[in-house]
Amino acid sequence: MSATSPVSLPDPTKVAVLGAGSMGTTFAMVLADAGCDVTLWGRDAAVLDAVDQTHRNEKYLPGVQLPAMHGTTDPAVALKGASIVVVSVPSQVARATLSSMKDLVEPDAVVVSLMKGVELGTDKRMSQVMAEVLDLPDERVAVVSGPNLAPEIAERQPTLTVVASRSEATAQLVADACSTAYFRPYTNIDVVGVELCGAVKNIIALAAGMAQGQGFGWNTLSALITRGLVEITRLGLALGAEPATFSGLAGMGDLTATCASPLSRNHRLGKHIGEGLTLAEAIKVTGGTAEGVKSSESVLELARAHDVEMPITAGVVEVLAGKLPLADLAATLLARPKKAEVAG
């Protein structure tokens, strides 16, 4: 853990949020409600003009009145003077997006990931990608993750989250910046565990959605959530995460919300596949980014590189690749060798 503290922040704190989708816009709303001076960056000029002028994003958060914030398609405008930079872009384009902005990020800015994925080809977590591309020390990197479904937060329903950083001071700084009457952040120094929970739970949610789409009930869903948590924990412990993280908000909390709620894109996409749609059809109908689809391959690569057994993840990868009929997935998992529940 780094003992170095980031620079003290001005009041109000200037924050740039990169990514104007549902989660990026929602977190920008939280930050603005918390008193920050927020600029939201994205590529859709019509969306960002509306955010800037009418404080609405009807494309991703229909009907939600946002607090006063700025919107821009110019990264230089968004990043100028920002002491906190929040990244909420699809995980597989994070490297390219950040590389194009490297020289625009303020030299002491703390960079926060909302992304839930593992990079294809490198098997790196999103905080690792950010640190590598932007040349960031530990004390300038943070991750936010938890049971945080954007539509519910946008309605300002009571929500808890986890802010993780190797630096306790940085975690607290980000937590202070996003704390509101309805959004309560906890801090954690286990970046590896928090981040892996956020990435792998999307894959388990795909499996849960597939099961529901096939007509399976609560017994099956409960089994997938429970054994899915086992897979997340195995991988996390192999990579040095703290055991307590997996029973917390970023672990069981986020896994439950993502697997059970129809608001979860990964759950919805899996359900469409379970109902008989092809992957391409399911992606089109679901809309937005379902991170579990692409991250499933990189998570499985990461697991195999560390000799970690993840049968649900492996089954989802095979189904998505067309190598295993969905109808055979449950039978394949149930036919695995019998063993004690706590084995491994």
Side-chain angles (χ1 to χ4, degrees):
M1 181 184 71
S2 172
T4 305
S5 299
V7 295
S8 59
L9 299 180
D11 187 20
T13 302
K14 190 174 188 309
V15 183
V17 178
L18 307 179
S22 58
M23 182 51 75
T25 304
T26 298
F27 198 68
M29 179 198 83
V30 172
L31 290 159
D33 281 346
C36 296
D37 177 8
V38 180
T39 300
L40 181 65
W41 170 88
R43 300 187 187 279
D44 190 324
V47 167
L48 276 303
D49 285 346
V51 168
D52 192 68
Q53 296 169 21
T54 66
H55 310 312
R56 297 180 78 90
N57 184 342
E58 292 297 330
K59 182 175 181 179
Y60 292 104
L61 293 178
V64 175
Q65 183 62 51
L66 302 170
M69 64 176 73
H70 314 287
T72 183
T73 57
D74 186 344
V77 171
L79 292 165
K80 184 175 178 57
S83 50
I84 296 178
V85 177
V86 178
V87 185
S88 184
V89 301
S91 59
Q92 303 308 324
V93 302
R95 183 178 294 274
T97 301
L98 293 174
S99 293
S100 68
M101 302 179 185
K102 179 178 181 180
D103 296 335
L104 302 175
V105 177
E106 297 289 351
D108 292 319
V110 171
V111 184
V112 183
S113 172
L114 300 185
M115 300 174 287
K116 309 294 195 301
V118 174
E119 189 178 42
L120 285 166
T122 68
D123 299 339
K124 291 185 176 180
R125 293 173 284 108
M126 291 298 101
S127 68
Q128 293 175 303
V129 173
M130 293 191 323
E132 181 178 298
V133 173
L134 301 178
D135 193 23
L136 303 172
D138 286 345
E139 62 268 18
R140 289 180 57 203
V141 177
V143 172
V144 174
S145 192
N148 301 154
L149 297 165
E152 293 184 2
I153 303 173
E155 293 178 355
R156 295 175 173 83
Q157 295 184 20
T159 302
L160 307 180
T161 197
V162 177
V163 178
S165 176
R166 292 283 301 279
S167 162
E168 292 178 350
T170 298
Q172 190 59 58
L173 178 148
V174 176
D176 289 343
C178 66
S179 180
T180 73
Y182 61 88
F183 194 84
R184 176 183 170 86
Y186 287 80
T187 59
N188 195 326
I189 59 170
D190 181 17
V191 175
V192 174
V194 169
E195 215 165 9
L196 283 177
C197 286
V200 185
K201 56 96 180 183
N202 287 329
I203 304 165
I204 307 304
L206 287 172
M210 291 175 187
Q212 185 179 14
Q214 290 179 283
F216 297 142
W218 292 104
N219 288 342
T220 306
L221 178 62
S222 177
L224 285 169
I225 291 174
T226 307
R227 296 307 297 179
L229 185 61
V230 171
E231 295 194 10
I232 297 171
T233 304
R234 282 177 185 156
L235 182 59
L237 294 180
L239 294 174
E242 295 295 327
T245 298
F246 304 102
S247 60
L249 289 166
M252 178 55 81
D254 198 7
L255 180 64
T256 302
T258 309
C259 286
S261 174
L263 295 176
S264 159
R265 281 200 207 78
N266 291 281
H267 178 276
R268 290 204 311 272
L269 191 146
K271 186 172 184 287
H272 290 316
I273 293 174
E275 292 169 339
L277 297 187
T278 66
L279 176 58
E281 291 168 340
I283 291 173
K284 183 176 180 180
V285 171
T286 302
T289 301
E291 291 282 14
V293 174
K294 290 187 176 179
S295 287
S296 60
E297 296 177 36
S298 46
V299 167
L300 188 59
E301 288 176 2
L302 190 60
R304 287 173 172 167
H306 290 83
D307 197 26
V308 174
E309 188 178 28
M310 299 183 71
I312 299 173
T313 300
V316 168
V317 169
E318 290 195 329
V319 168
L320 294 178
K323 297 178 180 178
L324 176 70
L326 178 57
D328 294 341
L329 177 57
T332 299
L333 292 172
L334 290 171
R336 297 178 65 249
K338 298 176 182 63
K339 59 184 180 182
E341 183 184 18
V342 298

